[in-house]
């Protein structure tokens, strides 16, 4: 094989790997579900590891890859505290317990827990500004499945805060007191 052919093959290889690595959409998917055994609500966030790593690298002004190191765990926890909150009806943040972060081939999985009253949680708002302003068209979804309640919330830069429970739903007018 000529050097030119090998060079062009290498270029193709690098480009295809690059294309596979770069994703055009930026999204964080969060689920909030009750763990029946522990009685706590598990909050699981799935974020592209590259995206989170890019934000960390930009903040620290250096090239790095996100890892499960203690320093990166701590940074992620602080980042989540800044940009993801559950707010009660008095606009006070509800305490969420930090569990940790794991990384697989593509994603960082961020785990939190809520140990309080489910009714209080359902009456709350979520503020989700994770990665907003870092990427164009960042869309974050939060799926809440608690008891009889299900909601799928979509957050964007124009809509950073939403009520977990929208009281204006049809069929929601049989109130139990």
């Amino acid at each position: 094989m000529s050097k030119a052919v090998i060079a062009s093959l290498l270029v193709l290889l690098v480009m295809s790997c690059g294309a596979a690595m770069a994703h055009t959409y930026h999204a964080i998917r969060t689920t909030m579900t009750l763990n029946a055994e522990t009685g706590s609500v598990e909050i699981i966030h799935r974020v592209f590891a590259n995206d989170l790593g890019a934000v960390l690298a930009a903040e620290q002004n250096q090239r790095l890859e996100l890892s499960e190191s203690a320093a990166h765990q701590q940074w992620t926890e602080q980042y989540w505290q800044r940009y993801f909150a559950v707010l009660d009806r008095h606009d006070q943040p509800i305490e969420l317990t930090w569990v940790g972060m794991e990384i697989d081939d593509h994603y960082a999985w961020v785990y939190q827990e809520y140990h309080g009253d489910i009714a209080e949680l359902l009456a709350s708002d979520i503020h989700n500004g994770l990665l907003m302003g870092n990427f164009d068209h960042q869309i974050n979804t939060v799926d809440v499945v608690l008891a009889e309640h299900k909601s799928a919330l979509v957050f964007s830069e124009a809509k950073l805060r939403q009520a977990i429970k929208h009281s204006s739903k049809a069929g929601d007018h049989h109130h139990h007191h």
Side-chain angles (χ1 to χ4, degrees):
M1 258 202 263
S2 75
K3 281 196 175 125
V5 171
I6 291 170
S8 60
L9 280 174
L10 275 173
V11 167
L12 279 174
L13 188 68
V14 170
M15 278 169 63
S16 60
C17 291
M21 295 288 295
H23 44 270
T24 47
Y25 75 105
H26 299 275
I28 297 178
R29 190 175 184 99
T30 300
T31 54
M32 298 175 80
T33 49
L34 184 66
N35 180 326
E37 286 178 28
T38 62
S40 69
V41 174
E42 295 181 345
I43 306 170
I44 301 173
H45 308 269
R46 189 191 78 182
V47 52
F48 285 111
N50 286 356
D51 287 2
L52 197 56
V55 174
L56 173 58
E59 269 193 26
Q60 300 198 351
N61 206 3
Q62 57 172 311
R63 287 179 68 96
L64 55 82
E65 196 166 317
L66 190 70
S67 72
E68 293 177 10
S69 69
H72 288 191
Q73 292 271 356
Q74 187 183 10
W75 176 84
T76 304
E77 178 177 1
Q78 288 167 349
Y79 185 86
W80 247 254
Q81 280 174 349
R82 273 202 311 247
Y83 294 106
F84 184 88
V86 180
L87 303 162
D88 68 17
R89 51 182 78 124
H90 308 294
D91 268 355
Q92 293 304 305
I94 286 177
E95 187 173 347
L96 304 176
T97 305
W98 180 256
V99 179
M101 170 188 63
E102 292 176 334
I103 299 172
D104 65 19
D105 291 344
H106 298 287
Y107 298 109
W109 300 84
V110 173
Y111 304 100
Q112 294 174 292
E113 282 179 344
Y114 167 76
H115 298 286
D117 182 51
I118 301 291
E120 188 188 350
L121 185 64
L122 286 174
S124 302
D125 286 5
I126 292 175
H127 172 91
N128 187 341
L130 296 165
L131 298 186
M132 297 288 180
N134 294 107
F135 301 102
D136 289 342
H137 314 302
Q138 173 78 31
I139 299 288
N140 297 336
T141 56
V142 178
D143 291 311
V144 182
V145 181
L146 294 169
E148 303 299 299
H149 178 74
K150 282 188 173 67
S151 57
L153 309 175
V154 180
F155 296 81
S156 63
E157 283 196 55
K159 203 170 184 186
L160 291 174
R161 178 170 174 168
Q162 291 183 63
I164 289 181
K165 213 169 181 173
H166 298 291
S167 52
S168 58
K169 269 208 210 97
D172 209 28
H173 47 247
H174 45 271
H175 294 290
H176 306 288
H177 288 293

